[in-house]
Amino acid sequence: MSWRATVLTLFPEMFPGPLGGSLAGRGLERGLWSLEARNIRDAATDRHRTVDDTPFGGGAGMVMRPDVVDAAVAAAMPEGDTRPLVFLTPRGTPLRQSLVRDLVAGPGVVLLCGRYEGVDQRVVEARGMIEVSVGDYVLSGGELAAMVLLDSCVRLIPGVMGASESAEEESFSDGLLEYPHYTRPADWRGLRVPEVLLSGHHGQVAAWRRAQAEAVTRARRPDLLSPQLHGAAQPA
Ligand code: ADE
């Protein structure tokens, strides 16, 4: 069976969105993975199909009800569905390539997209959801975050990326940012490609790229080099 993604959202019409185009979309068409977007509102039981309510303790905004979210999860995951359940939230642990690799090695994923101010924490914990953030900024909902996570997974499914071997050599596969790339012309507006890349010495090219990767990582993402100094989890 192919890798299966289910998205629980109040805006199912947002899917597949950009995932329907490009490499991910071709993979969908070819059955290399599947995507189902389900409306959380279908799990509401009252006449007005209510999914949210005001927060206990006061404050702005609305919170998604635990009973409705739980019913939506139950409907999406029949008995025996072993897929991990991921809740997209800015409160989550940062999305890393190591989690992407783990997810793509499994049967698929169920993604819960929050809206309003959040989701009642009891259902998040009762369902053992993995809380994941795609970055230190706030989106208006989890849908775009779910698309980011799915795109990062789907491109690693065998056959989706095509002949390219670049999936493993790129940024993060060895815990470093990637070295810079150059192509023809070798002289563009007087700007020359680094000489070593024209040398044909594979060993020197590899050493130069490694040094470049380390330098850019030190400058931009020192946390990747010494995560313990930055309070981050160790990159895989
Ligand atoms: N929902 C809103 N903002 C988010 C973020 N940064 N990551 C994941 N889900 C979100």
Side-chain angles (χ1 to χ4, degrees), residues 46-143:
D46 65 316
R47 210 155 49 84
H48 303 290
R49 305 224 297 159
T50 309
V51 296
D52 60 331
D53 209 331
T54 53
F56 280 122
M62 301 291 270
V63 177
M64 289 174 75
R65 292 171 54 114
D67 52 346
V68 175
V69 170
D70 186 63
V73 170
M77 302 181 75
E79 201 68 23
D81 191 334
T82 59
R83 291 176 296 166
L85 177 54
V86 173
F87 171 37
L88 286 313
T89 167
R91 296 183 70 236
T93 55
L95 179 61
R96 295 199 142 74
Q97 195 66 16
S98 51
L99 176 63
V100 172
R101 277 194 293 259
D102 287 350
L103 289 176
V104 85
V109 69
V110 180
L111 301 174
L112 172 64
C113 302
R115 279 270 160 176
Y116 311 111
E117 301 320 295
V119 173
D120 187 292
Q121 191 63 23
R122 290 169 295 179
V123 69
V124 173
E125 288 164 21
R127 283 283 182 178
M129 297 186 197
I130 306 167
E131 297 180 68
V132 172
S133 165
V134 298
D136 293 337
Y137 43 81
V138 181
L139 301 166
S140 54
E143 286 77 12

Side-chain angles (χ1 to χ4, degrees), residues 1-7 15-16 19-20 23-38 76 81 83 104 106-111 146 149-151 153-155 157 160:
M1 248 238 308
S2 68
W3 200 78
R4 204 154 69 85
T6 299
V7 181
F15 292 86
L19 296 172
L23 291 171
R26 225 163 306 141
L28 259 185
E29 285 165 15
R30 290 164 56 208
L32 297 176
W33 67 292
S34 68
L35 175 62
E36 177 194 23
R38 301 178 63 104
D81 191 334
R83 291 176 296 166
V104 85
V109 69
V110 180
L111 301 174
L149 187 152
L150 286 176
D151 186 83
C153 289
V154 162
R155 59 186 289 285
I157 294 171
V160 169

